């Protein structure tokens, strides 16, 4: 198994999750954040708390990462004690999708648990792995490789309410009025977050490392003060990244089961096997 293939799978699972949640977080005191439009802040803070307290939701998303990768994701997520959930991820375009199609993979199921996430790749891929359908990525193992610590931290910390937190770091957040989203009334907020204003130091470092200078965030909040849609747009060295997610069924029951051990191959083992063919 080539190292490139293993990392494409990692990126797809992370990207699908990030689109449904957010790569940003902000735990700084509110008085240390950049000044935003005063009329919008109370509503955003209420929405951030309400979305966090909901603890579960159904999500569906689309992601476009320049010419590298396009995908959709659909499933259930919970963020009560860390992140967990199930997503079905479909590759829809880009060079990474072409790589996976060469392996007979056009979609995968991703399961996120407290210590690892699992990716089910399909029968054609399993035939190349001794019959095993699942890849296991332990978060601790991700830390052993370049960039792995960031992947592990993002997997553990991303939650939907962080899109609202990220917008609270915007110096120009504004309310754009009422709109209809998925059949329900919602208020649209928008703002541009400059990397230098991001209060989470780890996130700011990751964005700077990717040569990101700013990110545009749009969110829609319904009458129950819950996030129902978000759009994040970022320009990076690899092209423009656009992530759109829709949220519904807050409070839905989410149960995630670990795949059978006999049908699971470990990410770390695959990397060892591919060490002689790292491309």
């Amino acid at each position: 198994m080539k190292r490139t293939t293993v990392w494409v799978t990692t990126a797809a699972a992370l990207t699908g999750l990030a689109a449904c949640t957010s790569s940003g977080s902000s735990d700084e005191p509110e008085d240390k954040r950049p000044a935003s439009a005063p009329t919008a802040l109370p509503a955003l803070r209420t929405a951030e708390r309400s979305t966090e307290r909901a603890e579960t939701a159904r999500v569906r998303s689309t992601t476009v990462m320049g010419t590298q990768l396009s995908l959709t994701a659909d499933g259930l997520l919970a963020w009560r004690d860390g992140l967990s959930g199930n997503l079905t991820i479909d590759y829809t375009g880009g060079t990474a999708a072409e790589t996976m199609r060469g392996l007979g993979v056009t979609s995968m199921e991703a399961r996120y648990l407290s210590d690892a996430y699992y990716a089910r790749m399909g029968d054609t891929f399993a035939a190349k792995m001794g019959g095993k359908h699942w890849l296991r990525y332990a978060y601790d193992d991700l830390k052993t490789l370049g960039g792995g610590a960031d992947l592990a931290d993002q997997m553990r910390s991303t939650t939907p309410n962080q899109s609202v937190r990220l917008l609270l770091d915007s110096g120009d957040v504004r309310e754009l009025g009422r709109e209809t989203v998925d059949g329900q009334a919602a208020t649209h907020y928008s703002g541009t977050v400059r990397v230098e204003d991001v209060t989470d130091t780890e996130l700011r470092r990751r964005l700077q490392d990717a040569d990101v200078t700013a990110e545009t965030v749009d969110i829609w909040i319904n009458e129950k003060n819950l996030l129902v849609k978000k759009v994040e747009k970022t320009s990076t060295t690899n092209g423009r990244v656009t992530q759109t997610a829709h949220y519904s069924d807050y409070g839905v029951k989410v149960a995630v089961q670990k795949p059978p051990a006999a049908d699971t191959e470990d990410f770390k083992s695959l990397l060892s096997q591919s060490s002689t063919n790292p491309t």
Side-chain angles (χ1 to χ4, degrees), residues 138-217:
Y139 300 133
D140 289 341
D141 288 343
L142 290 176
K143 291 184 176 182
T144 64
L145 296 173
D150 287 346
L151 290 174
D153 290 342
Q154 289 180 58
M155 285 291 193
R156 286 180 167 131
S157 65
T158 50
T159 56
N161 64 300
Q162 290 176 3
S163 293
V164 187
R165 290 184 182 181
L166 188 61
L167 192 55
L168 284 168
D169 282 336
S170 170
D172 69 346
V173 63
R174 55 203 179 278
E175 180 181 330
L176 299 182
R178 302 280 282 177
E179 300 176 16
T180 299
V181 177
D182 298 330
Q184 59 186 307
T187 302
H188 183 184
Y189 298 91
S190 181
T192 299
V193 183
R194 298 182 303 172
V195 171
E196 63 219 57
D197 291 334
V198 174
T199 53
D200 184 289
T201 56
E202 286 301 311
L203 172 62
R204 185 169 62 249
R205 178 183 60 79
R206 290 197 298 267
L207 293 174
Q208 290 171 338
D209 289 346
D211 292 332
V212 175
T213 57
E215 180 170 351
T216 302
V217 181

Side-chain angles (χ1 to χ4, degrees), residues 43-101:
L44 291 175
R45 289 171 181 149
T46 298
E48 190 278 324
R49 290 191 293 267
S50 297
T51 301
E52 180 179 28
R53 291 168 182 166
E55 298 186 338
T56 66
R58 181 178 299 279
V59 294
R60 54 186 175 85
S61 70
T62 60
T63 300
V64 178
M65 300 177 63
T67 60
Q68 287 190 324
L69 179 65
S70 298
L71 57 80
T72 64
D74 192 344
L76 302 176
L77 291 178
W79 52 94
R80 184 179 302 108
D81 297 308
L83 190 76
S84 62
N86 297 280
L87 292 177
T88 298
I89 299 173
D90 293 312
Y91 302 95
T92 57
T95 54
E98 292 175 4
T99 298
M100 298 309 292
R101 286 195 190 100

